Amino acid sequence: MAKINVLIFPAGEINAIELHDALSSCVNIQVFGASSVERHGKYVFQNYISNVPMINSPVFIDKFNELLITNKIDVVFPTHDSVADFFAANQDKIHAKIVVADSRTAAICRDKEKTYELFKNYDFCPQVFQEIKKYPIFIKPKQGQGAVGTCLINNVNELPQDLSDYVICEYLPGIEYTVDCLTDLNGKLLFISPRSRQRLMAGVTVSGQNEKLTPEIEKIANIINDNLTFKGLWWFQIKKDICNKWKLLEISTRCAGTMCLTRAKGVNLPLLSVYILMGYENISIINNNYDIKMDRALISRYQINYDYNVVYIDFDDTITWNNGVNLKVMWFLYQCQNLAIRVNLITKHINDIYNTLEKLSISVGLFNEIIKINPDEHKFRYINPDKSIFIDNSYKERVDVSKKLGIPVFDIDSIDVLMDWRM
């Protein structure tokens, strides 16, 4: 069966990484990433395309279509609000299906003033003030994302000089949820899943958990869906007011970076969106019956300017760990096998190394050579330094190899430097 080719653009931000993680391991999907500005994408996407023109370039559509045709792209996920708006307005000019709402919906969702105007007659719409009569109030840019530019105003002295680009709203002191949704091509709302935002970093949820879908939230989701036109995934944010009622903050037609929390419940919204746009029928949703909490921090990926084709690696307390196997090191060993990098095991293991490998269910086939040496011997004497690296938990062994052979040496805490995360 031919794979569905999916392009994520731009491919460097948190929600682009979530799309990659949601789709890259699916057997019938091939994922591509593309960006105009270099960020994190090249560390994540195996199929990565750089130097794409900016969307405001007069040649963008032509160049982008060339990219789509060359790579036989079926579906495109825009990951930034401005890009989503552009694609929504130019869908008929793009040679692929795009996971984005229609141009009217995209324009309304992009502008909070338009959003609140559309829903002003519903009780979940926050109060919007044309003039300020009492404080506190909350101001937010008419067009913006990630809480950038939003501000609680407690008195007149805190107001910016020019409020023309802001929406002035009631202050909402309660808890905040994001609600992930999925709509098919006929406008039917297939799925609603609230999640709390318990800790934020730069406007992104870094701690949260799934929450119960209440009749109040379900009603809000259906009203939004009935008044706008979505294709595939979308989300909205709500916050409780002083009377403990939910009020709408914003709506978005793109993937959210924390949709990973909904995916962790078994509902892969990016994948389901691809299937919807490809015209698959009878899409079923499995929502696992458990509660889940998510917490995350920054992760690091690396690129070193040293090409190697041979790895010399220690065994005790390097491949092994606490009477078991070091899982990250095993990942690296299989990575070497996939990339045709030779792995030579060099060890002073006091027992029969082959028996120990068998007991730990480690295949001898992972190693091109097994070098067993005496405890008083020096490992550097058995290493060919040509395009090689050395991994060992022993500081003394690493110092010897580094000084005698001049090749890079790594403790097990540095395995991340050698990992290729691209898929």
Side-chain angles (χ1 to χ4, degrees):
M1 182 174 65
K3 289 194 174 187
I4 303 169
N5 290 338
V6 177
L7 177 70
I8 296 163
F9 175 78
E13 301 297 342
I14 291 173
N15 60 341
I17 307 307
E18 164 54 19
L19 285 165
H20 167 274
D21 292 350
L23 298 172
S24 60
S25 60
C26 300
V27 68
N28 60 339
I29 304 287
Q30 185 168 24
V31 179
F32 295 74
S35 292
S36 305
V37 179
E38 283 298 339
R39 295 201 174 166
H40 195 64
K42 67 179 181 179
Y43 296 90
V44 178
F45 290 85
Q46 191 173 69
N47 304 303
Y48 183 71
I49 303 158
S50 58
N51 299 318
V52 178
M54 303 290 285
I55 58 171
N56 58 3
S57 167
V59 300
F60 173 80
I61 291 179
D62 289 340
K63 293 295 184 182
F64 194 76
N65 280 331
E66 286 179 18
L67 182 161
L68 298 178
I69 294 168
T70 299
N71 295 283
K72 299 179 180 179
I73 301 298
D74 299 296
V75 177
V76 177
F77 278 93
T79 60
H80 189 277
D81 289 317
S82 297
V83 177
D85 289 350
F86 178 87
F87 281 146
N90 294 278
Q91 291 185 59
D92 58 332
K93 301 174 185 176
I94 305 298
H95 299 334
K97 302 177 189 299
I98 307 170
V99 184
V100 72
D102 65 8
S103 57
R104 168 184 170 269
T105 297
I108 290 171
C109 293
R110 186 69 170 119
D111 190 318
K112 294 177 183 62
E113 187 174 52
K114 293 179 180 178
T115 300
Y116 297 150
E117 176 63 26
L118 177 64
F119 296 105
K120 65 182 180 181
N121 293 325
Y122 295 97
D123 60 2
F124 62 80
C125 186
Q127 296 182 63
V128 178
F129 306 112
Q130 300 304 317
E131 55 181 294
I132 303 169
K133 295 183 178 180
K134 64 177 182 177
Y135 295 90
I137 53 139
F138 201 81
I139 64 171
K140 58 184 74 177
K142 294 177 182 178
Q143 296 191 11
Q145 60 278 326
V148 176
T150 63
C151 189
L152 173 64
I153 304 295
N154 291 292
N155 57 66
V156 66
N157 297 321
E158 296 177 356
L159 285 172
Q161 289 186 343
D162 185 3
L163 284 171
S164 59
D165 292 329
Y166 289 89
V167 176
I168 307 168
C169 298
E170 65 174 301
Y171 171 55
L172 305 173
I175 59 173
E176 182 177 337
Y177 283 5
T178 297
V179 185
D180 294 331
C181 298
L182 184 74
T183 299
D184 69 14
L185 296 181
N186 297 316
K188 182 180 180 181
L189 185 56
L190 303 177
F191 181 73
I192 311 166
S193 181
R195 49 184 169 83
S196 55
R197 309 181 79 203
Q198 297 176 356
R199 192 174 79 250
L200 306 181
M201 182 171 66
V204 176
T205 304
V206 293
S207 181
Q209 66 183 44
N210 70 291
E211 302 290 349
K212 182 181 178 181
L213 176 60
T214 65
E216 184 182 2
I217 296 174
E218 186 174 13
K219 180 181 178 182
I220 294 171
N222 277 290
I223 290 172
I224 293 172
N225 190 70
D226 290 344
N227 281 272
L228 297 169
T229 305
F230 300 103
K231 292 190 301 183
L233 59 80
W234 57 282
W235 53 268
F236 64 96
Q237 288 179 340
I238 49 178
K239 206 169 189 293
K240 285 201 167 180
D241 65 11
I242 196 170
C243 298
N244 206 37
K245 296 288 291 182
W246 287 114
K247 295 295 181 70
L248 179 65
L249 296 180
E250 64 176 310
I251 310 167
S252 181
T253 64
R254 58 168 174 80
C255 176
T258 315
M259 278 183 176
C260 59
L261 185 52
T262 297
R263 182 162 57 87
K265 286 271 289 174
V267 185
N268 190 331
L269 294 177
L271 181 61
L272 292 171
S273 298
V274 170
Y275 289 164
I276 286 172
L277 264 72
M278 293 300 293
Y280 289 23
E281 297 181 355
N282 301 319
I283 291 174
S284 58
I285 296 173
I286 302 173
N287 189 9
N288 286 323
N289 186 26
Y290 52 70
D291 292 322
I292 189 165
K293 184 170 183 177
M294 181 275 302
D295 197 280
R296 61 185 170 191
L298 291 174
I299 62 171
S300 302
R301 293 182 169 100
Y302 304 89
Q303 184 178 33
I304 60 175
N305 63 343
Y306 181 83
D307 293 324
Y308 60 94
N309 53 31
V310 182
V311 175
Y312 290 87
I313 188 166
D314 175 49
F315 184 72
D316 293 299
D317 299 321
T318 299
I319 292 176
T320 63
W321 181 255
N322 288 340
N323 300 315
V325 176
N326 188 318
L327 300 181
K328 189 173 287 187
V329 172
M330 292 304 297
W331 182 343
F332 173 69
L333 294 180
Y334 278 104
Q335 173 183 297
C336 290
Q337 186 175 75
N338 288 344
L339 298 175
I341 294 172
R342 291 175 59 87
V343 177
N344 295 333
L345 180 61
I346 182 166
T347 179
K348 298 178 181 180
H349 189 62
I350 60 174
N351 299 317
D352 186 309
I353 184 64
Y354 293 93
N355 286 340
T356 304
L357 288 169
E358 185 176 0
K359 287 179 181 178
L360 293 172
S361 300
I362 300 175
S363 173
V364 174
L366 281 173
F367 309 104
N368 296 89
E369 187 177 354
I370 295 179
I371 306 167
K372 177 77 178 290
I373 66 176
N374 296 323
D376 59 348
E377 291 186 280
H378 297 287
K379 289 184 178 179
F380 72 85
R381 297 187 186 279
Y382 294 85
I383 294 174
N384 180 345
D386 185 35
K387 289 190 173 181
S388 298
I389 64 171
F390 177 65
I391 303 172
D392 198 312
N393 72 299
S394 168
Y395 179 74
K396 183 179 184 304
E397 297 283 11
R398 295 199 309 275
V399 169
D400 282 349
V401 171
S402 179
K403 286 184 176 180
K404 300 291 185 181
L405 303 179
I407 63 174
V409 298
F410 301 88
D411 198 351
I412 56 173
D413 71 287
S414 299
I415 288 292
D416 280 355
V417 175
L418 303 171
M419 299 296 286
D420 185 349
W421 301 90
R422 296 172 296 174
M423 294 181 64

